[in-house]
Amino acid sequence: MAPKYKLTYFPIMGLAEPIRFILSYGKIEFEDNRFESDKWPSIKESMPFGQVPVLEIDGKKICQTIAICRYLAKQVGLAGDNDWENLQIDMAADTVTDIRTKIVSPNYETDEEKKQKKKAEVINETLPFLLPRLDNLVKQNGGYLANGKLSWADLYFVALIDLLKFMIGFDITKDYSNLSALKNKVLEIPAIKEWVAKRPKTER
Amino acid sequence: MAPKYKLTYFPIMGLAEPIRFILSYGKIEFEDNRFESDKWPSIKESMPFGQVPVLEIDGKKICQTIAICRYLAKQVGLAGDNDWENLQIDMAADTVTDIRTKIVSPNYETDEEKKQKKKAEVINETLPFLLPRLDNLVKQNGGYLANGKLSWADLYFVALIDLLKFMIGFDITKDYSNLSALKNKVLEIPAIKEWVAKRPKTER
């Protein structure tokens, strides 16, 4: 029997969206359990390390977005064919996570003036250093983040673009032709297109 | 022919130490290329995403500590036996990374008063929430982070303890019997013991 999947997260795309993309890509049914923020304190206590997203697989609670993505990718044909290919996928995905972390970091600053200064640094220094390199990685890999073919790293990246846009104020792929093309390519995958059309509409 | 490994990092343990642990565990020879900090600007430019550690495998530059650890683990018998076991290992390792990130985060605060306040929060709230859960995970897994047996997640965790101690001022395993026992067990592995005895002595 197919395992039963239940995904628990806030009622937003956020860090759960890459998991939803991969499940949708594999046409795997899952319970998309979105809780309201006022329920968070009690849910937090019941989660392995007080974090979400958590994916329950036949009732066993698993946390950590990237770990979940990698596991599901193996079930749906989005992992590499060998250890070397998986290394390239992992390197790309962790680099995307670093970019995400840098974009999110100014929001932890409580002082408004400092927050704006940090945000400007991210926009004017960090991203202009990292995004051309990510764009070039995609160029070198035939339009994908790794190995010249679609992998879960591509879905992970594209699923996070809306969250990053909400955080930083613009689509980070806008000035990068290889990243834009990758985004369009992933969003044109029929199963992804279908998911995006039917998912709850949220701003992040 | 065995691949040629060259590991480039600052002259500290830091984020390269888990990679050095796993290479040492597998008795894999590697060039331990430690550069002085004044060389960093030029080295940064030559690295895939301006970060280290970078492991060159037969001249091909690979970044991202966790991705490198997972890849090497497969070569030296520290990965899981199946997808489910690897999921448990990945979840544990990413949780250790979260704890590391939280311990390091106050250091990005420029205001000294705020830095101390954030550090106190980490010590009094974040760690007392996360460490008992990590300790319990080890208890549930027969003295290891995952699957009741040694994996690269254990080496990753133990190799970072000195860095975390430098950051936060104490050994995070000190009040947790399962974490302390895991630390001792990993440090007693002959190949690790040998590496720790011969490595350059640095404070972090």
Side-chain angles (χ1 to χ4, degrees):
Chain A
M1 228 178 76
K4 200 166 165 275
Y5 294 104
K6 177 180 174 180
L7 180 63
T8 297
Y9 196 58
F10 295 94
I12 60 172
M13 294 184 280
L15 296 185
E17 200 61 15
I19 301 170
R20 298 186 187 116
F21 264 43
I22 296 171
L23 287 164
S24 299
Y25 176 88
K27 302 190 173 26
I28 293 175
E29 275 190 49
F30 65 103
E31 182 185 344
D32 193 17
N33 178 36
R34 298 168 184 239
F35 60 84
E36 292 305 322
S37 297
D38 61 353
K39 301 260 168 58
W40 175 231
S42 69
I43 288 177
K44 183 178 167 70
E45 279 300 321
S46 73
M47 292 303 170
F49 287 91
Q51 293 178 325
V52 285
V54 160
L55 182 68
E56 287 174 59
I57 307 179
D58 285 337
K60 167 106 178 146
K61 286 175 184 160
I62 306 290
C63 63
Q64 292 296 345
T65 300
I66 291 255
I68 295 168
C69 287
R70 185 180 298 105
Y71 174 78
L72 292 174
K74 289 173 189 160
Q75 326 293 312
V76 305
L78 286 174
D81 284 335
N82 53 52
D83 292 348
W84 182 260
E85 285 194 0
N86 281 318
L87 173 59
Q88 308 305 317
I89 293 169
D90 287 352
M91 179 174 70
D94 287 352
T95 298
V96 169
T97 300
D98 278 352
I99 293 172
R100 167 172 74 76
T101 306
K102 285 178 195 301
I103 287 176
V104 173
S105 65
N107 295 291
Y108 294 112
E109 181 63 61
T110 44
D111 182 285
E112 187 58 30
E113 197 180 322
K114 278 196 177 158
K115 184 187 284 189
Q116 292 310 323
K117 191 166 164 263
K118 279 192 179 173
K119 206 168 161 180
E121 255 177 50
V122 170
I123 293 173
N124 300 322
E125 294 169 37
T126 313
L127 294 181
F129 182 88
L130 291 173
L131 292 177
R133 284 169 171 76
L134 195 70
D135 192 64
N136 191 44
L137 185 71
V138 172
K139 190 179 177 186
Q140 289 170 344
N141 281 286
Y144 299 95
L145 278 167
N147 308 315
K149 60 184 176 187
L150 188 72
S151 74
W152 64 270
D154 300 308
L155 272 65
Y156 176 67
F157 172 59
V158 174
L160 288 175
I161 291 174
D162 286 316
L163 173 65
L164 299 181
K165 185 178 178 182
F166 178 83
M167 293 287 180
I168 200 84
F170 56 89
D171 180 337
I172 61 166
T173 68
K174 72 180 168 66
D175 296 328
Y176 300 95
S177 60
N178 297 288
L179 297 179
S180 303
L182 174 59
K183 175 187 161 185
N184 294 334
K185 198 156 42 186
V186 168
L187 293 176
E188 282 301 321
I189 297 169
I192 300 295
K193 205 169 175 172
E194 196 181 314
W195 165 251
V196 169
K198 79 173 184 191
R199 71 183 173 189
K201 302 296 168 278
T202 60
E203 61 179 348
R204 58 182 165 128
Chain B
M1 228 176 78
K4 200 165 166 276
Y5 293 103
K6 177 179 175 181
L7 180 63
T8 297
Y9 196 59
F10 296 94
I12 60 173
M13 292 184 281
L15 295 185
E17 201 60 16
I19 301 170
R20 298 185 187 115
F21 264 43
I22 295 172
L23 286 164
S24 299
Y25 176 88
K27 302 189 172 25
I28 294 175
E29 276 191 47
F30 65 102
E31 181 185 342
D32 193 16
N33 178 37
R34 297 168 185 241
F35 60 84
E36 292 305 322
S37 296
D38 61 353
K39 300 260 169 57
W40 176 229
S42 69
I43 289 176
K44 182 179 169 70
E45 279 300 321
S46 72
M47 290 305 168
F49 287 91
Q51 294 178 323
V52 286
V54 160
L55 182 68
E56 286 174 59
I57 307 178
D58 285 337
K60 166 106 180 149
K61 287 175 182 160
I62 305 291
C63 63
Q64 293 294 348
T65 300
I66 291 254
I68 295 168
C69 287
R70 184 181 299 106
Y71 175 78
L72 293 173
K74 289 173 190 161
Q75 326 292 313
V76 305
L78 286 174
D81 285 334
N82 53 51
D83 293 347
W84 182 258
E85 284 193 2
N86 281 318
L87 173 60
Q88 309 305 317
I89 293 169
D90 288 351
M91 179 174 72
D94 288 351
T95 298
V96 169
T97 299
D98 278 352
I99 292 172
R100 166 172 74 74
T101 306
K102 285 176 194 302
I103 287 177
V104 172
S105 65
N107 294 291
Y108 294 112
E109 182 63 60
T110 44
D111 182 283
E112 186 58 31
E113 197 180 319
K114 279 196 176 158
K115 185 187 283 190
Q116 292 310 323
K117 192 167 163 263
K118 279 192 179 175
K119 205 168 162 178
E121 255 178 49
V122 169
I123 294 173
N124 300 322
E125 292 170 37
T126 314
L127 294 181
F129 183 89
L130 291 173
L131 292 177
R133 283 170 172 77
L134 195 70
D135 192 65
N136 192 44
L137 185 71
V138 171
K139 190 179 178 187
Q140 288 170 343
N141 281 285
Y144 299 95
L145 278 167
N147 308 315
K149 60 184 176 185
L150 188 72
S151 75
W152 65 270
D154 300 309
L155 273 66
Y156 176 68
F157 172 60
V158 174
L160 289 175
I161 290 173
D162 286 316
L163 173 65
L164 299 181
K165 185 179 179 181
F166 177 83
M167 293 287 180
I168 199 85
F170 56 88
D171 181 336
I172 62 165
T173 69
K174 72 180 169 63
D175 296 328
Y176 300 95
S177 60
N178 297 288
L179 297 178
S180 303
L182 174 59
K183 175 187 163 186
N184 294 334
K185 197 156 43 185
V186 168
L187 293 175
E188 283 302 320
I189 297 169
I192 299 294
K193 204 169 176 171
E194 197 180 312
W195 164 251
V196 169
K198 79 173 182 189
R199 71 182 172 188
K201 300 297 167 277
T202 59
E203 61 179 347
R204 60 183 165 129

